[in-house]
Amino acid sequence: MNLDDPQERSASAGEYVLGTLDPATRASFEQALREDRGLQAEVYSWQDRLLGLALKIAPVEPSARVWPAIEQRMAGSGLGVADVGAARKADAANDSVWQRLRRWQWGGGVAIAASVMMATLLFLRAPAPSAEPRYLAVLQSPADQSAGWIVEARAGGSLRLVPIAGTAAVPGDKVLQFWTKAEGAAGPTSLGLVKAGQVVELPASRLPTLEARQLFELTLEPAGGSPIGRPTGPIVFVGRTVLL
């Protein structure tokens, strides 16, 4: 962990919020966090990003067997129900007990946020050969707001479309088609056909423009793609870019 490197610094803050740092690295990170206001701001930023994603999903009530199972597993550790209650009320966003209990409360929302987080961290840890602006878009299903793909693009570089969750099978007579449209543009531009679950990479020069709040979407089209140069089928995933 090199907190002097901006990308490593941001990625480590994200992993800290998600709770995926190993104990030694976490302890070192928390020591730096106490005195580094810039690092504290990175952590707050990641908390805001994940909370916004998680709150889009309705809380899921755990089944009746969940709490008895937790109590049984904790019986041999010396922690009782009172300890669990105290852990839930304590100000310990990264406490391991709190993380386990919070997953039951947030249900699917945390899983989606974690998927988005891990995909984003992969991009942050990738080599940065230039200082060109980078953009990120999370493509979500209009039907249930579930996140299915991430778009990452660098001006003057490349664009990547990456699946982050299992997607429904595409009917045999249909294909997924990838589109983009800047705010105020007259119409969308096709970026080609996409196979479900596969990573797509293409030059950013294929895009008519690249900017914040640019729309990217996947639609379901006839075999061979849209015959009229614009979407004809339903939108299955859609999102807008943010500047990283």
Side-chain angles (χ1 to χ4, degrees):
M1 181 180 64
N2 178 14
L3 296 182
D4 292 327
D5 179 86
Q7 288 187 320
E8 181 74 12
R9 181 184 182 88
S10 181
S12 296
E15 291 185 81
Y16 176 72
V17 172
L18 190 60
T20 57
L21 293 177
D22 62 73
T25 304
R26 176 182 162 186
S28 177
F29 184 91
E30 288 178 336
Q31 182 175 0
L33 190 63
R34 294 188 188 99
E35 303 295 333
D36 191 331
R37 292 190 178 275
L39 192 58
Q40 293 169 13
E42 286 280 5
V43 169
Y44 295 149
S45 177
W46 276 111
Q47 288 173 338
D48 289 343
R49 294 186 208 183
L50 289 182
L51 180 62
L53 290 168
L55 291 180
K56 290 184 177 182
I57 308 298
V60 176
E61 185 69 23
S63 65
R65 67 177 183 274
V66 170
W67 280 109
I70 291 175
E71 292 171 3
Q72 183 176 7
R73 291 180 62 182
M74 297 180 70
S77 67
L79 291 175
V81 175
D83 300 300
V84 176
R88 298 183 73 187
K89 296 177 182 178
D91 181 19
N94 281 275
D95 182 79
S96 59
V97 174
W98 171 248
Q99 288 171 352
R100 289 195 296 271
L101 300 183
R102 184 171 56 186
R103 277 198 288 269
W104 294 112
Q105 181 181 3
W106 282 15
V110 170
I112 291 174
S115 297
V116 175
M117 162 71 99
M118 295 309 294
T120 305
L121 291 176
L122 290 176
F123 289 131
L124 287 173
R125 292 189 181 279
S130 72
E132 296 287 351
R134 298 176 68 197
Y135 298 89
L136 183 76
V138 179
L139 306 191
Q140 297 175 290
S141 165
D144 58 12
Q145 298 299 301
S146 61
W149 302 75
I150 277 186
V151 173
E152 191 267 353
R154 183 189 299 278
S158 62
L159 176 147
R160 296 182 72 209
L161 174 68
V162 181
I164 58 173
T167 55
V170 177
D173 60 340
K174 299 289 183 181
V175 294
L176 289 174
Q177 191 159 355
F178 189 29
W179 306 86
T180 187
K181 180 181 179 295
E183 283 193 303
T189 297
S190 174
L191 298 177
L193 304 183
V194 173
K195 292 184 178 180
Q198 291 192 356
V199 175
V200 174
E201 185 165 357
L202 51 89
S205 58
R206 285 271 307 276
L207 281 67
T209 185
L210 181 57
E211 58 190 41
R213 292 194 53 76
Q214 183 161 332
L215 183 144
F216 287 90
E217 66 182 19
L218 291 166
T219 62
L220 202 59
E221 302 292 341
S226 169
I228 60 175
R230 63 177 184 271
T232 62
I235 297 172
V236 288
F237 289 99
V238 63
R240 291 187 181 274
T241 55
V242 294
L243 179 65
L244 293 178

